[in-house]
């Protein structure tokens, strides 16, 4: 003990209790006392500072507000007002109706290491998932060295419950979002579909993948679900009536380029895209390239009027078919006389349109088509976009055939976009499937003179009033349009029996709001149509029914003619004598 | 002396400790409740989301059309069913008596309803016809076309009561 005490440093040696009276220490004792006091002060000071820091922090915590999101990682947090956080944004129609959404489902997987008896597990699981192959499942469950095997993705809640009740060890559920399309095939070609991992594989789902993935705000389409339904019904009716192989229809807002409806038939169910033939996934409206036929005369006339090579009073010799090299250009509704510009359009004269275009020339026609976007794929929020086919060297024969819609293949969306520009005052709006912000003018560029557009509206009204498109007349809606019947190209030439019958319309034509395009693929004439399967017999009545049904929905009541309208639609050059007006040649 | 202060501190420490534990448990309980509520909100949001999808599914246009066909005696609006507001006869009191000096109320009308009468002086007027009611009269048309020979008509509540000639 004493040796230990001797080994201790001197300062730690126990100090004798202080005497009752103040004692003055001298020498070594005083030194010891002073140094120990100094050290005590140091220690006390350190502690005081430490406590002061702690105290300050306490005051700080008590007074300051808790940091936002400080608890984010500790507690499950409810989402904000937008609700359920799916891994993919919803898609809604222009009025907000749900078109595509992701719902949580359970997916079943197994850990083969935890499965004792693969055969028994497989046979028991088969009692719930009856369509599964037991042998196949057994080999997968018995797989060596694997710890994860998908059994079935996206179970129904009932299946999940039943499997849970079986209580087989080694099976687990994984929560997954499943993309569903409540409207089934109604929007199939617009929305497209997503695969089991939530990746867009077609339509808008694929085209704006980056915006949908992880997005919270629903994407608003320009499509109106109600119009989509009407258009699909009427198009289907036309296809059924004329035993056609398919068809396409588009409604476009003539003032903004927004596509309000786009239907391609036959279609498929995006909830089960594999269940329909792959051909059904083909979008006729954006991917299908067709020689549109006479509907293209709208562009031929617009071009000639805009270039000034023809006026509403010009006339053209349509007495004889045009013979050029080995081709003969004839008229379907041959009048065999001189035709004025309005008459060329009204009777859908190939000869007249061809001669009219020749006057503009190849250069002019190509430039015009380019300007109208007929030579490039449209820019649209879809991956399925067809690139127009046109002749490499634009010879006079091409000029003439393109005038009546042969030799240049475009998609129905091209046609709708072009027609919208022709009727809306000459402004070309790029088509879109996404709703444009309201109140903002849609971007566009002037491609035609307003006066040309005004004349074209008159001509299009003429066709419906007493031309080839009479069957599209819907009283009070003032439809203007143009029929088209094209023979489809088959190996080495045109097939007389395989036609593409179409009708393009704009209404109300005195101040167009909507452009409607209906196209029926390979219709066959019926008794009712006297065997005819042309655009005027097949597509025009469909357009009429569509317009009559959509009018009330979009808030357009039928209106009676006013003097102002009469003035806007009057074609004053129509009753011209045919033989006299040779001047324009 | 030392003992008393020590005791006091000890007591304070115990009290504070107890209070702290109490607080801690309370906070813990509140946090659990918060977590539970948050979980519940998430579940509800998920349920709402799924129900929204179902709502959209149940509102498919073809299904609604089918249901309407079966259960309602209604058809889609036909263009012919549209009319103009201006074409509807006005129901309010329409004083069309103009330029009349004396209150010009036919006996029949006087009894039934008050008729507003303009007070401007006018030449002699003579009641040509006075009827209690002619059924509903289209005021709009009447105003524009009808009174050709008859300068003044008296209409009360949509009904022609009298026509008056100068």
């Amino acid at each position: 003990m004493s040796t230990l005490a001797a080994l201790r440093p001197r300062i730690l040696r126990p100090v004798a209790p202080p005497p009752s009276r103040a004692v003055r220490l001298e020498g070594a004792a005083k030194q010891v006392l002073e140094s120990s006091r100094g050290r005590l002060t140091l220690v006390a000071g350190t502690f005081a500072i430490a406590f002061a820091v702690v105290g300050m922090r306490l005051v700080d915590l008590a007074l300051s507000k808790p940091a936002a999101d400080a608890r984010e990682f500790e507690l499950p947090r409810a989402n904000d007002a937008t609700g359920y956080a799916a891994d993919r944004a919803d898609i809604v129609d222009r009025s907000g109706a749900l078109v595509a959404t992701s719902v949580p489902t359970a997916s079943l997987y197994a850990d083969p290491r935890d499965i004792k008896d693969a055969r028994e597990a497989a046979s028991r699981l088969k009692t719930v998932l009856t369509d599964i192959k037991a042998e196949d499942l057994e080999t997968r469950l018995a797989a060596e060295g694997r710890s994860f095997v998908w059994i079935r993705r996206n179970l129904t809640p009932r299946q999940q419950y039943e499997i849970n009740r079986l209580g087989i060890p080694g099976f687990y559920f994984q929560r997954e979002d499943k993309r569903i399309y409540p409207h089934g095939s109604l929007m199939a070609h617009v929305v497209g579909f997503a695969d089991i991992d939530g990746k867009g594989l077609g339509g808008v789902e694929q085209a704006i993948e980056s915006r949908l993935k992880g997005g919270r705000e629903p994407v608003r389409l320009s499509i109106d679900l109600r119009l989509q339904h009407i258009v699909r019904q009427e198009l289907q009716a036309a296809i059924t009536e004329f035993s056609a192989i398919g068809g396409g229809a588009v409604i476009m807002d003539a003032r903004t380029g927004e596509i309000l409806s786009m239907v391609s038939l036959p279609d498929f169910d995006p909830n089960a895209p594999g269940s329909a033939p792959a051909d059904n996934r083909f979008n006729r409206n954006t991917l299908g390239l067709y020689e549109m036929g006479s509907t293209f005369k709208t562009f031929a006339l617009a071009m000639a009027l805009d270039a000034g090579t023809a006026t509403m009073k010009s006339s053209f010799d349509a007495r004889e078919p045009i013979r050029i090299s080995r081709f003969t250009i004839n008229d379907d509704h041959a009048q065999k006389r001189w035709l004025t510009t309005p008459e060329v359009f009204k009777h859908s004269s190939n000869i007249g349109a061809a001669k009219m275009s020749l006057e503009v020339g190849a250069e002019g026609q190509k430039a015009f088509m380019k300007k109208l976007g007929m030579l490039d794929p449209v820019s649209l929020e879809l991956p399925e976009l067809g690139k127009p086919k046109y002749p490499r060297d634009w010879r006079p024969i091409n000029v003439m055939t393109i005038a009546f819609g042969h030799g240049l293949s475009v998609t129905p969306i091209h046609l709708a976009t072009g027609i919208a520009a022709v009727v809306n005052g000459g402004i070309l709006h790029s088509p879109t499937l996404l709703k444009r912000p309201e109140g903002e003018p849609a971007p566009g560029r002037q491609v035609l003179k307003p006066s040309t557009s005004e004349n074209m509206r008159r001509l299009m009204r003429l066709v419906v009033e007493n031309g080839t498109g009479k069957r599209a007349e819907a009283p009070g809606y003032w439809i203007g349009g143009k029929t088209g019947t094209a023979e489809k190209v088959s190996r080495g030439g045109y097939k007389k029996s395989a036609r593409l019958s179409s009708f393009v319309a704009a209404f109300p034509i005195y101040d167009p709001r909507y452009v409607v395009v209906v196209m029926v693929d390979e219709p066959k004439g019926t008794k009712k149509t006297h065997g005819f399967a042309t655009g005027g017999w097949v597509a025009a009545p469909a357009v009429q029914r569509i317009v009559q049904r959509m009018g009330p929905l979009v808030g357009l009541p039928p209106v009676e003619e006013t003097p102002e309208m009469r003035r806007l639609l009057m074609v004053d050059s129509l009753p011209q004598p045919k033989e006299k007006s040779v001047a324009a040649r | 002396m030392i003992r008393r202060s020590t005791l006091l501190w000890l007591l304070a420490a115990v009290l504070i400790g107890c209070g702290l534990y109490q607080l801690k448990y309370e906070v813990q309980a509140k946090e659990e409740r918060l977590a539970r509520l948050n979980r519940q909100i998430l579940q509800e949001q998920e349920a709402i989301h799924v129900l929204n999808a179902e709502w959209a599914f149940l509102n498919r246009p073809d299904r609604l059309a089918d249901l309407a066909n079966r259960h309602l005696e209604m058809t889609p609006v036909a263009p012919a069913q549209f009319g103009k507001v201006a074409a509807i006869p006005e129901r309010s009191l329409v004083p069309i008596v103009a330029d009349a000096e004396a209150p010009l109320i036919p006996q029949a009308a006087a009894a039934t309803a008050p008729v507003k009468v303009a007070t401007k002086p006018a030449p002699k007027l003579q009641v040509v016809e006075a009827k209690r009611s002619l059924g509903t009269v289209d005021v709009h048309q009447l105003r524009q076309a009808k009174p050709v020979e008859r300068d003044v008509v008296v209409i009360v509540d949509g009904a022609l009561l009298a026509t008056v000639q100068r």
Side-chain angles (χ1 to χ4, degrees), chain A residues 110-116 141 143-148 170:
Chain A
D111 184 347
R113 295 174 307 182
D114 291 352
I115 289 173
K116 304 278 174 307
L141 289 180
E144 286 290 322
R146 294 191 65 181
S147 59
F148 186 95

Side-chain angles (χ1 to χ4, degrees), chain A residues 20-184:
Chain A
S20 53
R21 267 186 296 147
V23 185
R24 284 186 172 266
L25 294 168
E26 297 295 330
K30 183 186 178 189
Q31 223 173 5
V32 168
L33 203 64
E34 271 179 2
S35 77
S36 68
R37 189 173 285 155
R39 284 165 204 210
L40 269 175
T41 315
L42 190 73
V43 171
T46 313
F47 272 93
I49 291 170
F51 274 108
V53 168
V54 171
M56 257 144 53
R57 177 68 182 140
L58 276 175
V59 170
D60 179 46
L61 281 177
L63 294 183
S64 67
K65 278 182 195 150
D69 297 332
R71 300 212 160 269
E72 196 166 18
F73 303 103
E74 299 168 34
L75 299 167
R77 264 168 62 87
N79 298 301
D80 51 13
T82 53
Y84 176 71
D87 58 3
R88 205 172 165 81
D90 288 348
I91 301 178
V92 298
D93 91 330
R94 69 183 295 115
S95 55
L98 205 56
V99 168
T101 186
S102 297
V103 294
T105 58
S107 289
L108 183 67
Y109 69 92
D111 184 347
R113 295 174 307 182
D114 291 352
I115 289 173
K116 304 278 174 307
D117 186 347
R119 177 180 295 263
E120 201 215 325
S123 68
R124 286 184 67 193
L125 194 62
K126 197 174 159 62
T127 58
V128 177
L129 304 172
T130 46
D131 54 339
I132 213 161
K133 271 193 193 144
E135 304 85 55
D136 181 40
L137 182 66
E138 197 186 316
T139 51
R140 281 164 66 204
L141 289 180
E144 286 290 322
R146 294 191 65 181
S147 59
F148 186 95
V149 183
W150 276 124
I151 305 296
R152 174 67 61 90
R153 310 280 289 269
N154 304 328
L155 298 167
T156 63
R158 178 156 204 94
Q159 285 172 330
Q160 186 192 6
Y161 172 76
E162 300 272 338
I163 292 168
N164 235 341
R165 218 174 51 161
L166 289 177
I168 322 171
F171 285 97
Y172 306 96
F173 296 108
Q174 162 85 44
R175 243 183 77 111
E176 277 192 306
D177 274 349
K178 179 180 164 48
R179 199 69 167 161
I180 61 160
Y181 305 92
H183 293 284

Side-chain angles (χ1 to χ4, degrees), chain A residues 209-511:
Chain A
E209 173 78 31
S210 56
R211 203 175 138 187
L212 289 169
K213 195 84 200 168
R216 297 292 301 274
E217 281 294 300
V219 171
R220 200 169 274 250
L221 298 178
S222 62
I223 300 282
D224 187 322
L225 211 58
R226 303 165 306 168
L227 301 188
Q228 184 79 356
H229 170 64
I230 292 172
V231 169
R232 185 168 183 271
Q233 259 192 350
E234 295 300 346
L235 183 64
Q236 186 62 63
I239 288 172
T240 309
E241 186 181 350
F242 296 98
S243 325
I245 59 166
V250 173
I251 299 179
M252 184 183 270
D253 189 320
R255 294 171 182 174
T256 63
E258 289 175 293
I259 296 169
L260 300 176
S261 168
M262 183 167 81
V263 178
S264 173
L265 289 173
D267 53 16
F268 62 96
D269 184 354
N271 291 305
S275 63
D279 282 355
N280 289 15
R281 268 180 252 159
F282 183 80
N283 187 347
R284 282 165 204 269
N285 293 313
T286 60
L287 199 54
L289 292 169
Y290 305 96
E291 296 184 307
M292 287 296 171
S294 304
T295 46
F296 249 61
K297 282 177 196 146
T298 320
F299 301 131
L301 267 83
M303 173 180 71
L305 290 174
D306 208 53
T309 56
T311 66
M312 293 291 271
K313 294 197 162 77
S314 312
S315 58
F316 302 87
D317 183 3
R319 287 175 300 184
E320 296 293 323
I322 305 175
R323 289 200 172 76
I324 175 165
S325 57
R326 58 192 176 87
F327 302 100
T328 307
I329 295 172
N330 227 324
D331 277 355
D332 288 336
H333 314 266
Q335 305 291 313
K336 304 227 178 280
R337 59 182 169 87
W338 282 81
L339 299 174
T340 62
T341 301
E343 280 173 330
V344 166
F345 201 61
K346 181 178 140 191
H347 299 299
S348 194
S349 165
N350 295 338
I351 302 168
K355 288 190 170 170
M356 216 178 256
S357 296
L358 273 182
E359 284 177 15
V360 179
E363 285 295 307
Q365 191 183 43
K366 191 171 181 181
F368 182 81
M369 289 299 173
K370 180 89 185 165
K371 197 164 64 170
L372 268 186
M374 294 291 157
L375 306 185
D376 304 296
V378 290
S379 76
L380 193 62
E381 299 80 4
L382 286 181
E384 301 94 354
L385 296 176
K387 188 178 182 321
K389 280 189 270 187
Y390 53 90
R392 194 166 298 161
D393 40 334
W394 209 289
R395 288 172 295 129
I397 176 70
N398 302 120
V399 173
M400 285 194 272
T401 59
I402 287 170
F404 50 87
H406 284 82
L408 170 60
S409 307
V410 297
T411 67
I413 285 288
H414 278 98
L415 186 63
T417 311
I419 294 291
V422 167
V423 298
N424 72 3
I427 300 161
L428 186 75
H429 299 291
S430 174
T432 179
L433 275 169
L434 302 181
K435 194 175 186 218
R436 292 200 197 277
E438 250 159 88
E440 283 176 38
R445 73 196 142 83
Q446 192 84 35
V447 291
L448 290 171
K449 293 177 196 146
S451 61
T452 306
S453 176
E454 198 176 306
N455 279 329
M456 287 314 297
R457 292 201 289 264
R458 292 185 170 129
L459 295 179
M460 285 171 77
R461 178 62 197 152
L462 194 66
V463 169
V464 176
E465 224 157 57
N466 53 11
T468 51
K470 271 180 238 165
R471 278 167 210 88
E473 175 70 323
Y477 283 113
W478 302 97
I479 301 177
K482 181 75 192 80
T483 55
T485 313
E487 279 154 23
K488 278 174 80 174
V489 188
S490 66
R491 245 170 292 130
Y494 288 97
K495 256 166 51 183
K496 266 262 178 261
S497 56
R499 290 206 189 87
L500 198 76
S501 299
S502 55
F503 192 78
V504 293
F507 81 99
I509 193 68
Y510 52 86
D511 182 21

Side-chain angles (χ1 to χ4, degrees), chain A residues 71 74-86 90 97-99 101-104 175 180-184 186 225-226 229 232-233 475 477 548-549 551-553 556-560, chain B residues 27 30-32 34-66 76-84:
Chain A
R71 300 212 160 269
E74 299 168 34
L75 299 167
R77 264 168 62 87
N79 298 301
D80 51 13
T82 53
Y84 176 71
D90 288 348
L98 205 56
V99 168
T101 186
S102 297
V103 294
R175 243 183 77 111
I180 61 160
Y181 305 92
H183 293 284
L186 185 58
L225 211 58
R226 303 165 306 168
H229 170 64
R232 185 168 183 271
Q233 259 192 350
Y477 283 113
Q548 276 187 334
R549 285 180 67 180
L553 280 184
L556 280 180
V559 291
E560 310 219 331
Chain B
V27 168
K30 283 213 154 49
E31 273 183 357
E32 267 163 31
L34 177 65
R36 207 164 49 239
L37 284 176
N38 268 317
R39 265 197 307 276
Q40 206 178 331
I41 292 172
L42 281 178
Q43 274 168 11
E44 299 290 347
Q45 278 177 338
E46 198 177 296
I48 291 170
H49 187 78
V50 173
L51 287 173
N52 266 334
E54 190 171 341
W55 176 246
F57 179 71
L58 293 174
N59 273 303
R60 282 165 310 170
D62 49 346
R63 178 174 177 273
L64 291 186
D66 179 50
V77 185
Q81 285 168 297
F82 279 87
K84 282 214 174 85

